[in-house]
Amino acid sequence: QVQLVESGGGLVQTGGSLRLSCAASGTIQARNTMGWYRQAATKQRELVVTRTSGGWLNYGDSVRGRATINRDLFKFTADLVLNDLKAEDSGVYYCMFRNSEDGAGDMYWGQGTQVTVSS
């Protein structure tokens, strides 16, 4: 089992930036994937960005060029920075962890943190 604790979020301005942090604990393998997804009201959960322990990045199309993920592989943390915020970036952001780099195995989720982008 892996537990995830998120921090950050809240109300942010259009055109501004947000920073979210996530810390993982529990049974963690050396090869893993950690990152962020989000879900807007009435929409399906979608990928924001993930990064494997080997450094492979995977971005959602809607945030490509605006999202950055920083991982500390020893502290098991992942920070998301999303720039040039738009109203459509609003939603609940979820931290995700998986004990593999190839998509195998269970996905673990944080409880989610609300982000609202408003002018």
Side-chain angles (χ1 to χ4, degrees), residues 15-59:
S17 299
L18 70 82
R19 184 184 186 98
L20 303 177
S21 297
C22 180
S25 62
T27 303
I28 294 174
Q29 306 297 324
R31 293 186 177 182
N32 55 70
T33 302
M34 193 169 180
W36 293 89
Y37 284 69
R38 68 185 183 187
Q39 187 167 14
T42 72
K43 293 187 177 180
Q44 290 187 329
R45 194 170 296 188
E46 65 173 4
L47 169 70
V48 178
V49 59
T50 60
R51 183 170 185 159
T52 69
S53 50
W56 184 263
L57 292 163
N58 191 20
Y59 292 95

Side-chain angles (χ1 to χ4, degrees), residues 58-85:
N58 191 20
Y59 292 95
D61 290 339
S62 61
V63 302
R64 198 178 303 273
R66 300 189 295 125
T68 302
I69 183 169
N70 296 302
R71 289 195 59 184
D72 187 321
L73 298 180
F74 298 101
K75 296 182 179 179
F76 312 123
T77 60
D79 292 342
L80 168 69
V81 176
L82 186 59
N83 298 316
D84 190 22
L85 290 170

Side-chain angles (χ1 to χ4, degrees), residues 67-119:
T68 302
I69 183 169
N70 296 302
R71 289 195 59 184
D72 187 321
L73 298 180
F74 298 101
K75 296 182 179 179
F76 312 123
T77 60
D79 292 342
L80 168 69
V81 176
L82 186 59
N83 298 316
D84 190 22
L85 290 170
K86 309 171 185 180
E88 51 264 42
D89 291 318
S90 298
V92 180
Y93 283 68
Y94 295 92
C95 181
M96 186 284 297
F97 186 94
R98 179 179 254 162
N99 271 315
S100 73
E101 294 182 312
D102 60 2
D106 294 334
M107 298 172 81
Y108 296 95
W109 299 97
Q111 64 182 16
T113 184
Q114 177 71 45
V115 172
T116 302
V117 182
S118 175
S119 56

